[in-house]
């Protein structure tokens, strides 16, 4: 089932840095055509940083590790018509030979199958606000608990309950690392107000912690929060009020389950007149640069 691109498997065999990328961010996270432009730019940023990109998706029931530009283009055009695949979806998308875009959880699973240890994305799923009512906790958190991949992100978006997301990760033994920051970033802004477990200032030290974790057979991932560059950050109050409105509208429309995150992301882009999309693109490029550095240190 696993179909690893030649370039990716050659890099892995030669112990060269490889960084996994998810595909739900392409299909469900951003509108076409900027989703495709961004996916290509993120791959280029990894290459500039000396790492081989491995964008992951399920195509025709195959677990693809490394997509061609044409494959990225067609996933981008499919958009919301692609199946958003998390852990529970993989068996059916594979058995029915369908096309699916992988979430953080499913990307981690497939990256681990391919022995890729570092994964860059924008934001992860987490505990949703209103969890007392909905029990909506992303399968991404459970995957971080169990699967040996380090995930580089821009922290946790405030569409989620950041405090409860951190509690969940603590329970599951997932280290939350702040890259050159004491507080977890909040995606569009640099500071969520919640402290990380460990501030780490170099890629080298992050790689050392990843290696130590797995050498002790402590299975599961690590979460590395990278604040977006200051010049692209959005004022916290501004983005928070947009998010509150977006959540209220979503509840009115009765949206739930796997549609929740894509709906909110789209609504935020609309409400900010596209500004949040520019921010989103900048932060993922920045995460890719940091992930390339960590992946390089992992090969030593
Ligand atoms: N957060 C973002 N952009 C995204 C996602 C989350 O800022 O594209 C996507 C990721 O693929 C993530 C998924 O794994 O949403 C989480 O969905 P859910 O909450 O349904 O598990
Ligand atoms: Mn959910």
């Amino acid at each position: 089932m696993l179909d690893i691109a030649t370039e990716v498997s050659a890099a892995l065999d030669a112990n060269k840095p490889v960084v996994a990328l998810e595909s739900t961010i392409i299909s469900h996270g951003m509108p076409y055509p900027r989703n495709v432009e961004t996916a290509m730019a993120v791959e280029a940023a990894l290459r500039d940083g000396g790492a081989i990109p491995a964008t992951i998706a399920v195509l025709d029931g195959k677990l693809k590790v490394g997509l061609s530009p044409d494959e990225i283009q067609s996933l981008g055009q499919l958009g919301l018509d692609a199946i958003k695949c998390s852990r529970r979806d993989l068996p059916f998308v594979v058995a029915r030979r369908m096309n699916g875009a992988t979430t953080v959880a499913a990307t981690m699973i497939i990256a681990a199958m391919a022995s890729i240890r570092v994964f860059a994305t924008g934001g992860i799923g987490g505990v949703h606000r209103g969890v007392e009512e909905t029990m909506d906790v992303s399968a991404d958190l459970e995957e971080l608990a169990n699967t040996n991949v380090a995930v580089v992100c821009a922290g946790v978006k405030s569409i989620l309950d950041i405090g409860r997301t951190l509690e969940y990760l603590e329970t599951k033994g997932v280290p939350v690392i702040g890259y050159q920051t004491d507080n977890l970033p909040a995606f569009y802004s640099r500071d969520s107000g919640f402290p990380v477990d460990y501030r780490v200032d170099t890629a080298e030290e992050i790689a050392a912690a990843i290696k130590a974790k797995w050498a002790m057979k402590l299975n599961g991932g690590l979460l590395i929060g990278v604040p977006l560059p200051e010049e692209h950050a959005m004022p916290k109050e501004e983005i928070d009020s947009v998010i509150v409105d977006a959540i209220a509208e979503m509840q009115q429309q009765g949206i739930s389950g796997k549609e929740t995150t894509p709906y909110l992301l789209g609504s935020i882009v609309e409400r900010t007149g596209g500004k949040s999309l520019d921010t989103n693109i900048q932060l993922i490029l920045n995460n890719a640069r940091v992930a390339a550095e960590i992946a390089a240190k992992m090969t030593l």
Side-chain angles (χ1 to χ4, degrees):
M1 293 171 212
L2 194 60
D3 181 349
I4 307 181
T6 317
E7 186 192 26
V8 174
S9 69
L12 290 167
D13 288 345
N15 190 33
K16 295 215 173 98
V18 176
V19 174
L21 297 166
E22 61 154 312
S23 44
T24 293
I25 192 174
I26 304 174
S27 59
H28 290 67
M30 292 181 189
Y32 180 81
R34 293 195 73 194
N35 55 357
V36 173
E37 290 160 22
T38 305
M40 299 307 299
V42 173
E43 290 210 346
L46 287 176
R47 287 184 197 282
D48 287 347
I52 300 297
T55 301
I56 290 178
V58 186
L59 297 181
D60 199 19
K62 294 236 163 52
L63 309 178
K64 301 275 287 185
V65 180
L67 299 187
S68 69
D70 282 351
E71 288 167 334
I72 289 177
Q73 173 70 29
S74 57
L75 255 185
Q77 275 178 309
L78 264 181
L80 298 180
D81 290 334
I83 297 174
K84 176 181 163 190
C85 291
S86 193
R87 172 177 275 267
R88 62 113 188 253
D89 306 286
L90 285 176
F92 284 89
V93 177
V94 167
R96 292 179 176 169
R97 299 189 199 292
M98 290 155 79
N99 298 321
T102 51
T103 62
V104 168
T107 304
M108 287 178 75
I109 293 169
I110 298 168
M113 285 181 195
S115 305
I116 299 174
R117 299 170 295 180
V118 181
F119 165 17
T121 187
I124 59 160
V127 178
H128 278 264
R129 294 195 200 176
V131 65
E132 312 88 308
E133 291 292 323
T134 60
M135 269 186 66
D136 192 349
V137 178
S138 173
D140 291 353
L141 297 185
E142 209 54 37
E143 215 54 56
L144 280 161
N146 295 310
T147 300
N148 296 5
V149 175
V151 179
V152 180
C153 68
V156 175
K157 228 194 229 85
S158 55
I159 60 172
L160 301 172
D161 185 325
I162 301 177
R164 285 188 166 119
T165 299
L166 290 171
E167 289 293 347
Y168 196 101
L169 291 169
E170 179 185 5
T171 301
K172 297 292 182 170
V174 179
V176 177
I177 297 162
Y179 180 69
Q180 299 176 349
T181 178
D182 294 310
N183 283 355
L184 188 70
F187 200 85
Y188 302 113
S189 47
R190 287 172 58 86
D191 185 355
S192 69
F194 290 89
V196 291
D197 305 325
Y198 294 93
R199 175 192 172 125
V200 180
D201 289 338
T202 65
E204 197 171 9
E205 199 194 338
I206 294 174
I210 297 171
K211 288 181 189 172
K213 177 166 183 173
W214 297 335
M216 289 184 279
K217 304 258 188 288
L218 298 176
N219 283 331
L222 301 89
L223 190 67
I224 298 124
V226 181
L228 81 170
E230 187 83 63
E231 65 268 30
H232 300 296
M234 295 176 74
K236 196 167 182 306
E237 313 70 53
E238 182 187 324
I239 190 70
D240 279 352
S241 81
V242 164
I243 287 171
V244 166
D245 293 347
I247 291 175
E249 181 187 75
M250 181 187 76
Q251 284 165 346
Q252 255 171 13
Q253 304 212 1
I255 287 162
S256 65
K258 71 192 282 191
E259 273 87 48
T260 299
T261 302
Y263 180 87
L264 289 174
L265 296 175
S267 173
I268 293 166
V269 172
E270 242 174 66
R271 285 164 187 278
T272 59
K275 200 165 138 206
S276 71
L277 182 58
D278 298 333
T279 303
N280 200 342
I281 292 168
Q282 291 304 325
L283 66 85
I284 173 154
L285 289 170
N286 189 53
N287 295 345
R289 290 186 277 266
V290 174
E293 272 185 59
I294 297 169
K297 299 298 181 192
M298 289 296 293
T299 64
L300 303 178

